[in-house]
Amino acid sequence: MSHEITLRQEILERVKAIYSLRKSEEEFIPGKTKVNYAGRVFDEKEMVAVVDSALDFWLTLGAEGREFCEEFKKYLGMKHCLVTNSGSSANLAAISALCSPIIRNPMKEGDEVITTAMTFPTTLNPIIQNGLIPVFIDIEEDTYNIDASKIEAGITDKTRAIVFAHTLGNPAEMDKIMEIAKKYNLYVVEDTCDALDSIYDGKKCGTFGDFSTYSFYAAHHMTMGEGGAICTNSLELYRAALSIRDWGRACYCQTGERKPMGACGHRFDFKFGDLPEGYDHKYVYNNIGYNLKPLDIQCAMGIEQLKKLPEFTETRKKNFKVLYDCFKKYENKFILPRVLPKAEPSWFAIPITVKEDAGFTKRDFVTYLESKLIETRMLFAGNILKQPGYKDINCRVVGDLKNTDQVMNRTFFLGVYPGLTEEKLEYMTKCIDEFFKE
Ligand SMILES: Cc1ncc(COP(=O)(O)O)c(C=O)c1O
């Protein structure tokens, strides 16, 4: 065993050396090196954590997953957390859990869900996948968030939930949304995939609704490579989401303990439905579920990334300000993002809309930036109803989707992630200024 400890230490020291070597070779040459809009920001600690976990060779979700969940829910001040293999899976498990027969008041096929058509596809998809009807309302043109003042117009006696994302980290109007949800007894799912560490009225985004979901894809506020999480304060909803994530099984005992009779000691002691008396609880399915679990190796990385989150958030805010101040000089050409008085965003990116009379188009501007090797991105699906895969979905649209269409036609975003060094930001602002000189 002691020989293994020595070998392991040697390996981990070599891993640190590889990190240092790569770091020392990093170079930014303006106009030659690509300026990414996002990316993983890490040091030797993440590399060591991942290799160490790989050497354990436990592989499937286990101790690192449990530790990550403990730390993550503590960070948010939530009661329950589940890790998933992506933010999309987190959304799927959360919405499916709200349709689960094991909760007291599940949503049923044909029920309506208020949401936006300016969306990331997998915020919407679980609504469709569960046979629910999305009811689309417009967004605000400058916060890019669900327009809370329009929600009530979409509510009927079939409405059961409000599902939305805090767009690019900008908190939605949570007090108004929660007030409406309470008035009409609606579930609220906060897609917080782009808004980890954003705050509304002194509370973290993701802590208001019934469920919040997170993505740890490499572009996000912190990363596991791929990965996600679901948080809730309800034990009932947590158990439903856990079952959906884990094949639909009924047993919610902690896994990985390898106790023959299960962690509860009652594996063969129950009678379920038409199954024989004492049928193994591990193989009882009370939901139609999936397998949406990540690997323990991913969680090992997540534990290290979470420690860096406060620092990442500060840098995101600083980087946003640099780009915001630059675009502010051209306010006659662009619509700049607006933040609600109670909101404190931890920006995922900076959204910019080219004004109709700017004298150039979004395409002109992003083509210019890309030619300078500055990555740009669209605000996700734009108006998802115009996307080929969504042509025939069963849905309802309330009012017009003017601002949604505007995003599709004239909005793009630039990164603000902590990997943007001062020299990269300087290059970006210089290129933006030059566009107006040319
Ligand atoms: C708002 C939003 N929701 C969900 C997702 C899906 O997350 P993932 O890529 O981890 O599946 C994303 C992805 O970037 C997103 O931006």
Side-chain angles (χ1 to χ4, degrees):
M1 197 59 196
S2 68
H3 186 48
E4 178 175 333
I5 292 171
T6 314
L7 282 176
R8 202 184 260 249
Q9 272 166 355
E10 267 174 37
I11 292 168
L12 298 181
E13 286 309 315
R14 299 260 171 151
V15 168
K16 287 183 199 166
I18 287 178
Y19 171 78
S20 300
L21 183 69
R22 288 186 188 164
K23 190 77 190 157
S24 70
E25 286 170 350
E26 270 177 19
E27 189 182 15
F28 175 65
I29 307 169
K32 291 231 155 52
T33 316
K34 197 155 161 219
V35 181
N36 296 329
Y37 88 96
R40 67 233 192 292
V41 176
F42 62 99
D43 59 26
E44 75 282 355
K45 293 201 180 68
E46 282 83 348
M47 285 180 74
V48 164
V50 165
V51 173
D52 207 16
S53 176
L55 291 172
D56 286 344
F57 220 64
W58 176 266
L59 302 180
T60 58
L61 202 51
E64 316 267 24
R66 283 196 291 279
E67 184 179 337
F68 177 79
C69 282
E70 282 306 310
E71 293 303 319
F72 195 65
K73 70 186 189 195
K74 215 189 297 163
Y75 191 83
L76 292 173
M78 296 288 279
K79 287 194 182 142
H80 308 284
C81 169
L82 272 171
V83 268
T84 58
N85 55 10
S86 72
S88 304
S89 298
N91 282 338
L92 177 59
I95 303 285
S96 304
L98 294 176
C99 302
S100 160
I102 67 169
I103 70 167
R104 272 165 297 172
N105 193 13
M107 297 195 281
K108 304 224 161 50
E109 240 181 276
D111 283 347
E112 294 187 346
V113 177
I114 305 273
T115 190
T116 61
M118 197 299 290
T119 187
F120 193 82
T122 54
T123 312
L124 169 64
N125 295 353
I127 299 171
I128 301 169
Q129 284 160 297
N130 278 289
L132 306 164
I133 314 290
V135 175
F136 295 111
I137 64 166
D138 206 6
I139 53 157
E140 296 171 324
E141 79 163 352
D142 48 6
T143 66
Y144 303 92
N145 278 320
I146 187 166
D147 187 338
S149 71
K150 294 189 172 152
I151 293 176
E152 282 194 278
I155 291 177
T156 66
D157 55 7
K158 284 190 169 170
T159 311
R160 298 294 315 280
I162 309 172
V163 175
F164 62 93
H166 298 282
T167 307
L168 299 184
N170 197 10
E173 199 172 0
M174 287 317 300
D175 38 10
K176 199 179 262 180
I177 293 170
M178 294 313 294
E179 193 185 303
I180 296 168
K182 200 166 169 209
K183 182 169 163 192
Y184 295 95
N185 193 25
L186 306 176
Y187 290 119
V188 172
V189 177
E190 290 174 78
D191 179 329
T192 318
C193 287
D194 298 335
L196 177 57
D197 237 9
S198 290
I199 288 170
Y200 186 85
D201 203 11
K203 260 180 81 155
K204 285 208 159 72
C205 285
T207 63
F208 291 82
D210 296 282
F211 273 122
S212 55
T213 58
Y214 303 85
S215 167
F216 306 128
Y217 173 63
H220 288 254
H221 287 62
M222 53 164 276
T223 185
M224 296 180 177
E226 300 279 359
I230 308 170
C231 288
T232 178
N233 282 324
S234 155
L235 182 62
E236 181 189 40
L237 295 184
Y238 165 76
R239 284 189 177 156
L242 173 67
S243 168
I244 304 277
R245 186 198 67 174
D246 296 0
W247 309 280
R249 85 169 156 200
C251 173
Y252 45 77
C253 280
Q254 195 74 264
T255 53
E257 292 183 13
R258 301 240 161 116
K259 290 189 180 153
M261 296 305 148
C264 65
H266 295 289
R267 218 176 121 190
F268 304 106
D269 292 346
F270 301 116
K271 165 94 178 105
F272 292 96
D274 296 332
L275 290 168
E277 179 85 36
Y279 198 79
D280 186 348
H281 199 195
K282 272 182 180 296
Y283 291 91
V284 175
Y285 303 97
N286 56 4
N287 279 290
I288 295 173
Y290 309 88
N291 176 0
L292 307 173
K293 297 194 301 301
L295 301 177
D296 229 28
I297 295 171
Q298 290 164 273
C299 299
M301 172 153 185
I303 292 166
E304 292 305 321
Q305 285 271 290
L306 188 57
K307 292 177 193 163
K308 297 190 167 94
L309 187 59
E311 190 190 318
F312 287 164
T313 299
E314 279 318 301
T315 314
R316 283 181 177 275
K317 288 180 181 173
K318 264 194 247 155
N319 293 352
F320 177 89
K321 186 166 176 344
V322 171
L323 293 176
Y324 184 92
D325 289 347
C326 177
F327 279 108
K328 182 116 179 104
K329 292 183 280 183
Y330 310 106
E331 225 173 345
N332 59 334
K333 307 285 183 195
F334 300 112
I335 298 171
L336 302 185
R338 179 172 64 95
V339 174
L340 297 177
K342 293 182 189 170
E344 212 185 294
S346 170
W347 293 98
F348 174 75
I350 179 165
I352 297 290
T353 299
V354 178
K355 286 188 175 170
E356 201 158 16
D357 58 357
F360 56 88
T361 63
K362 164 172 85 168
R363 191 172 171 187
D364 294 334
F365 196 68
V366 300
T367 307
Y368 167 78
L369 291 175
E370 294 280 354
S371 77
K372 300 287 178 190
L373 300 186
I374 298 169
E375 266 191 345
T376 62
R377 287 289 182 271
M378 295 297 109
L379 192 25
F380 307 138
N383 178 348
I384 203 157
L385 292 172
K386 311 271 172 157
Q387 294 278 356
Y390 293 78
K391 260 194 350 254
D392 300 322
I393 62 165
N394 190 7
C395 68
R396 215 156 54 73
V397 175
V398 177
D400 64 35
L401 301 181
K402 194 168 111 287
N403 296 332
T404 300
D405 283 331
Q406 177 165 288
V407 162
M408 176 179 64
N409 293 320
R410 292 196 268 112
T411 305
F412 66 95
F413 68 75
L414 294 177
V416 300
Y417 83 113
L420 291 180
T421 54
E422 261 175 43
E423 51 182 353
K424 286 182 187 170
L425 284 164
E426 201 175 294
Y427 173 69
M428 290 169 86
T429 54
K430 183 172 126 309
C431 289
I432 294 165
D433 288 336
E434 276 172 5
F435 179 82
F436 292 99
K437 283 187 198 133
E438 274 171 15

